[in-house]
Amino acid sequence: ADGSGRLLFSERKYDVPHDFNFPSKCNLRMAWMFWLKGMALGNNEFIMPFRFLEHLPSKLRRRYRNEWKPILEIMEEGVLKENECAIPTKVNLITDAILQSTFIIGENYLQSRTSFLFSDMSQKGVRQRAAWTIGTWSKKVKPSSVEKFGIVNAGDRKAGKRNSKVSYLFSKES
């Protein structure tokens, strides 16, 4: 590692070790923890909070951009709007209580922006969403998925109307 905390990987500096791979089968709650607190690797190695990752090998950069950022940035936006202050940048200031409360706020914001994903509030629906991986969540909030499956409300579902305001999900000012 150099002074910036980046590691040397293939003659280039990256934010992760050369053998790092994002956790597979990571659910939304676990991903939120990695997003805010980072990830311990053992041998006193630590990956910074995932929201601060910038320098990644191309294979990891694609996965990060496609599977991690879309959903977690929406949740983070909701937390920032609700709290009107930033999430602590220092990992040691993020307590379990902060982690839990920000997850709930972010999930509620996500639900308000993508109600069609939360239309099944039965125990089965809740269990299914809890089992979705971070990649599944991000896939479901992509503009193409929102256009295809996004339904404004239950009455519109019966009428077959789709969500015509896809840009609402992705606008920073809404």
Side-chain angles (χ1 to χ4, degrees), residues 67-82:
E67 294 182 19
W68 290 78
K69 282 184 82 168
I71 191 72
L72 296 169
E73 282 185 339
I74 292 170
M75 289 179 64
E76 185 174 356
E77 177 185 332
V79 171
L80 298 177
K81 282 185 174 193
E82 175 79 18

Side-chain angles (χ1 to χ4, degrees), residues 4-108:
S4 70
R6 293 194 171 80
L7 303 165
L8 193 60
F9 177 76
S10 298
E11 310 279 325
R12 297 174 68 182
K13 295 176 185 173
Y14 290 111
D15 294 334
V16 296
H18 75 278
D19 59 347
F20 177 76
N21 204 348
F22 287 105
S24 61
K25 299 184 180 181
C26 185
N27 68 23
L28 191 59
R29 187 174 296 275
M30 184 66 67
W32 184 249
M33 183 184 71
F34 294 142
W35 190 251
L36 296 188
K37 295 188 79 159
M39 181 179 180
L41 297 177
N43 296 335
N44 291 327
E45 286 186 309
F46 180 79
I47 304 293
M48 70 176 74
F50 286 13
R51 64 192 167 131
F52 299 132
L53 294 176
E54 293 179 7
H55 305 283
L56 296 168
S58 60
K59 181 178 122 186
L60 292 178
R61 187 173 46 247
R62 276 188 301 277
R63 188 164 177 214
Y64 179 71
R65 187 177 57 236
N66 293 329
E67 294 182 19
W68 290 78
K69 282 184 82 168
I71 191 72
L72 296 169
E73 282 185 339
I74 292 170
M75 289 179 64
E76 185 174 356
E77 177 185 332
V79 171
L80 298 177
K81 282 185 174 193
E82 175 79 18
N83 288 337
E84 297 182 4
C85 64
I87 297 168
T89 56
K90 293 185 178 180
V91 173
N92 62 334
L93 297 179
I94 300 176
T95 63
D96 288 343
I98 289 173
L99 196 62
Q100 176 67 14
S101 66
T102 57
F103 178 80
I104 291 168
I105 292 167
E107 187 178 44
N108 288 340

